[in-house]
Amino acid sequence: MDLRQDIAVETPRLRRYARALYRGDVAAADDLVQDALERALGRLHLFKPGSSMRAWLLTITRNVYVNDMRGRARRPLETNMDEDLDGAAFSHRAVQDDTLNVRDLNRALGQLVEDQREVVLLVGLEDLSYKETADVLGVPVGTVMSRLSRGRNHLRRLMDDAGQQPGAPSNPLRPTPLRPATLRKLT
Amino acid sequence: MTRAYRVTDSELNAYVDGELDVAATAEIEAWRSADPNNAARLAALCADKAALHDLYDEVLDEAVPAALQNVLNRPRVHPPAPTWLRIAAGVVVLLVGGAGGWGLRDWQAAEATVVATTATPVVQNGVREDYQAFAKRAIGAHVVYSAEVLHPVEVGIAKEAHLLGWLSKRLGTPVRVPDLAKRGFAVIGGRLLADQGKPAAQFMYEDQAGRRVTIYVRADQGQKTAFRLVGGTGASAFYWVDAPLAYALAGDLARDELLAISLDVYNALSL
C-alpha cells in the first residue's frame, strides 16, 4: 500500500476544497494545500491504516486553514476577493446559469460564519458523509447537521437577497424561498 | 400515503445528501409529492448543492501545479510503521467504526459490517468507493448505448420473456423490468454487459421526448444501502444495493427526477 500514491490521488480534491475555502483565490488555496501536504507527508506514520485517507487529509487541510485564519484575523479575506472573481477567475463561465448566480453564491459563501461554511463545503462539495465530516471537525454528528441546516438556509437567503438588489439580474426561475419559522436569525 | 408528515430541515438535508436509509427516503419522497411547495423546497436545496459543484469542480480537472508535485515527489523521510502496529491500528478503527453510526443512515453500519468480515485491510471508504465505481461504469454504459439510434438494445422488449430469461440466467438471479409509465418512460429492451469481468444487464427506457434512462444491474450480495448519487460526463446515476442485485439508474436528467425514478424502480422491484 503506497500512502504517497494515495495522497497524490486526493490532491485535486484538496485543491478544490482549499479553492472554495478561499473563494477562488488560487494562490492562497495552493499555499494551503502545499502546507497541508507537507504536514501530511511528515506525519505519515500517524495515518491509521484502514481509515480514510481523504478524511485524514481534509482534517489536516482544515486545521492548517484554521491556524492560517487565526494568524490573519486582522486582515479579513473579504477585502477584494469578490472583485477578482468578478473579473478573471470565472469569466469563461457561461452566463446561462439557470437557478443561481455563480457570483452570488461565491459572495454568499464568503459571508457565512466559518463553522457553517466548512460544513457546507465538506458535505456539499467534498461529499463527505455526516459521520466523516463530524470526524474531520471533531464535533458530534448532530452538530454537523445543525450547522449544515443553518448554513444552507443562510446561504439561500443571502442569494435571494442578492437577487433582489437593484441592478442585480433578477431570476424569475428561482423558486420562492420557503423558510421554516424556526430559522435562526444570523447576523 | 396521505398522512400529514412534518419534516425538519435536517431531514431534508439528509435526503439531499444521501444520508437517509431507503425507508426514510421514501417518506421524504411522499412528503415531496404531497405539495408542489415541498417539491420546490427540495429542488432548491438540490440546486444549491449542485451550484457549489458547478462553481468549483473545474479545479479537479486542472493539472496539479509543479510546486505541489515537488512536495509529493520528495523522497520519503519516515519509514512505514511495523506491520503488527498497522494491523493493531486497523483493528481499533474497525471496532470504532462498528460501534459508531447514526440512526438515520445505514451506510456506516453497512460499511463496518463488510469491512469487519474482510480479512485483508480495506480502506474505510472502500465499499462505497466500489459501488461508486460500479455506478460510474453504469454511467459509461448509459452514455455509450443511449446514444445509439439503430441498436440501442440487444434484445427488444417485444421478446420480453426471452430477454428476461436470458439475462436472469446470465446474472444468476431473476431480473425484472419495472414499469415506469407513471414517469413517462417505457422500456425499449436490454443488453448483456461485462462489469469488471462479471455479467451485468442494462435495461433502457425512453420517454415521449426521446430522453433515455438506463437501469444497470449486477448480482450482488452486499448489505442494503441508501440511494447515493454520482455524477459523470454526460449523465449521472443513483445507485443502491438491494441483494441479490446492485442497481444504478443512469440518465441525463435533473437529480430530483432521477431520484424519483430510482425510488419507483426500487419500489417496483422490492415488493
Side-chain angles (χ1 to χ4, degrees):
Chain A
M1 183 161 53
D2 186 354
L3 293 178
R4 289 174 157 261
Q5 182 59 36
D6 293 347
I7 292 176
V9 166
E10 296 298 339
T11 300
R13 293 180 66 121
L14 297 184
R15 293 187 71 228
R16 176 176 66 179
Y17 178 59
R19 192 77 62 89
L21 281 177
Y22 284 106
R23 268 96 66 213
D25 184 335
V26 180
D30 280 342
D31 280 352
L32 169 61
V33 174
Q34 179 161 352
D35 287 351
L37 287 178
E38 295 197 354
R39 186 182 287 209
L41 290 165
R43 298 175 182 203
L44 265 187
H45 57 291
L46 294 179
F47 176 74
K48 292 195 192 85
S51 64
S52 161
M53 176 59 82
R54 176 173 303 160
W56 187 63
L57 291 173
L58 283 169
T59 307
I60 292 173
T61 305
R62 185 258 175 182
N63 290 341
V64 174
Y65 173 76
V66 168
N67 287 340
D68 183 41
M69 283 292 112
R70 281 196 196 117
R72 63 162 93 182
R74 289 177 165 277
R75 207 154 43 89
L77 190 63
E78 271 70 46
T79 39
N80 53 24
M81 193 88 45
D82 285 344
E83 281 75 12
D84 292 347
L85 291 170
D86 288 356
F90 295 104
S91 57
H92 61 285
R93 195 180 297 282
V95 288
Q96 34 64 17
D97 190 25
D98 48 2
T99 44
L100 324 150
N101 186 305
V102 159
R103 230 170 20 184
D104 289 348
L105 174 58
N106 207 47
R107 197 172 275 148
L109 264 181
Q111 292 175 45
L112 286 190
V113 295
E114 200 63 59
D115 282 354
Q116 293 171 11
R117 175 165 50 226
E118 60 189 3
V119 172
V120 165
L121 293 178
L122 288 171
V123 173
L125 186 61
E126 294 312 319
D127 293 324
L128 292 195
S129 70
Y130 291 177
K131 177 70 170 65
E132 288 167 334
T133 304
D135 290 345
V136 166
L137 302 177
V139 301
V141 167
T143 304
V144 167
M145 293 173 67
S146 60
R147 285 182 188 173
L148 184 66
S149 285
R150 279 184 278 144
R152 281 178 171 164
N153 284 337
H154 194 193
L155 206 54
R156 174 139 276 276
R157 196 171 35 164
L158 287 166
M159 285 186 292
D160 287 337
D161 291 348
Q164 285 155 15
Q165 275 165 14
S170 68
N171 191 337
L173 291 179
R174 176 176 294 153
T176 312
L178 292 150
R179 299 181 194 117
T182 55
L183 181 62
R184 196 178 296 181
K185 179 77 179 166
L186 296 159
T187 51
Chain B
M1 271 202 251
T2 51
R3 74 198 170 88
Y5 185 72
R6 283 190 64 80
V7 303
T8 64
D9 275 2
S10 282
E11 283 171 307
L12 287 185
N13 278 298
Y15 169 87
V16 169
D17 296 321
E19 294 272 341
L20 295 180
D21 60 25
V22 170
T25 299
E27 291 201 323
I28 297 288
E29 181 67 13
W31 171 88
R32 171 186 169 281
S33 312
D35 183 342
N37 283 332
N38 294 349
R41 193 166 146 197
L42 257 187
L45 265 180
C46 288
D48 288 352
K49 187 173 177 178
L52 266 184
H53 282 281
D54 288 347
L55 192 50
Y56 286 112
D57 273 2
E58 64 186 14
V59 179
L60 297 180
D61 297 328
E62 293 175 5
V64 173
L68 298 184
Q69 286 291 0
N70 290 340
V71 174
L72 290 168
N73 294 334
R74 231 171 264 161
R76 116 185 351 226
V77 183
H78 293 277
T83 308
W84 66 268
L85 193 59
R86 290 163 166 239
I87 292 171
V91 168
V92 171
V93 169
L94 291 183
L95 292 177
V96 171
W102 165 50
L104 272 176
R105 60 195 303 271
D106 282 339
W107 254 115
Q108 216 63 31
E111 280 172 11
T113 309
V114 176
V115 170
T117 53
T118 311
T120 49
V122 177
V123 180
Q124 191 180 15
N125 248 342
V127 175
R128 188 189 299 178
E129 294 294 339
D130 177 43
Y131 287 119
Q132 209 170 54
F134 162 75
K136 295 240 177 201
R137 292 194 293 277
I139 291 173
H142 173 87
V143 170
V144 169
Y145 292 111
S146 66
E148 274 288 325
V149 177
L150 287 180
H151 306 292
V153 296
E154 210 169 347
V155 176
I157 195 61
K159 296 181 182 171
E160 183 173 359
H162 168 66
L163 174 71
L164 296 182
W166 168 53
L167 291 175
S168 297
K169 193 175 165 195
R170 290 311 307 271
L171 265 62
T173 187
V175 293
R176 287 183 287 153
V177 284
D179 182 2
L180 298 179
K182 192 173 85 181
R183 303 278 168 197
F185 283 90
V187 64
I188 306 173
R191 66 169 65 240
L192 179 68
L193 292 169
D195 184 85
Q196 294 216 309
K198 301 245 174 74
Q202 182 196 55
F203 296 104
M204 191 172 301
Y205 290 74
E206 191 174 51
D207 74 356
Q208 292 282 347
R211 298 184 307 164
R212 287 171 169 177
V213 295
T214 54
I215 301 172
Y216 187 90
V217 291
R218 75 168 186 213
D220 197 298
Q221 293 298 333
Q223 292 278 318
K224 195 167 190 169
T225 70
F227 292 101
R228 287 217 156 242
L229 177 69
V230 62
T233 308
S236 39
F238 274 99
Y239 59 98
W240 68 97
V241 180
D242 187 15
L245 293 168
Y247 300 81
L249 182 99
D252 187 14
L253 305 179
R255 286 165 172 75
D256 234 26
E257 189 173 10
L258 210 55
L259 178 60
I261 298 172
S262 301
L263 279 159
D264 284 353
V265 172
Y266 169 79
N267 286 328
L269 296 181
S270 65
L271 297 178

